[in-house]
Amino acid sequence: MLIKRTWLLLFLLFFPIAVLADPAPALDAERMTFDFGEIFQGEKVTHTFAFTNSGDADLVIKRIKTSCGCTAALLSAKTIPPGAEGTIKATFDSGRFRGKVTKTIYFYSNLPGGQPQ
């Protein structure tokens, strides 16, 4: 039992140091999805997604990719410093579509533990 307590104490003493030694970006976004509702076929619609780097290191966006050519995504900046805001302006061209359509924007970055959901 004494060994387990010592191990736990050592873990608790060294864990905060490990966390502080490795700064990382973090992403906070108002929303990760947007519904344009009903639009007319052939209409182009746009929405701007805003996000903030709430971490303590630069958020580096390596690449933005859309699920098809009917959707364009324009990134405000590739590097977002801690505390700064970035945007992705998404434009959908509905010319070739009818009915319910879902499109995706893929976000490749240096976020630890994977990408935003």
Side-chain angles (χ1 to χ4, degrees), residues 34-46:
F34 184 78
D35 184 350
F36 286 112
E38 289 187 24
I39 61 173
F40 292 105
Q41 186 175 11
E43 188 176 356
K44 288 184 182 181
V45 289
T46 301

Side-chain angles (χ1 to χ4, degrees), residues 9-25:
L9 177 62
L10 289 174
F11 175 74
L12 292 175
L13 288 175
F14 290 111
F15 181 73
I17 295 170
V19 170
L20 293 175
D22 193 19

Side-chain angles (χ1 to χ4, degrees), residues 5 7 11 16 28 30 34 44-45 49 51 54 56 69-70 78 83 85 96-98 101 106 109:
R5 286 185 185 166
W7 159 238
F11 175 74
D28 285 330
E30 301 174 5
F34 184 78
K44 288 184 182 181
V45 289
F49 293 93
F51 58 91
S54 59
D56 51 7
C70 63
K78 286 193 171 204
E85 184 178 282
R96 298 179 292 158
F97 298 93
R98 289 179 57 178
V101 177
Y106 300 96
S109 71

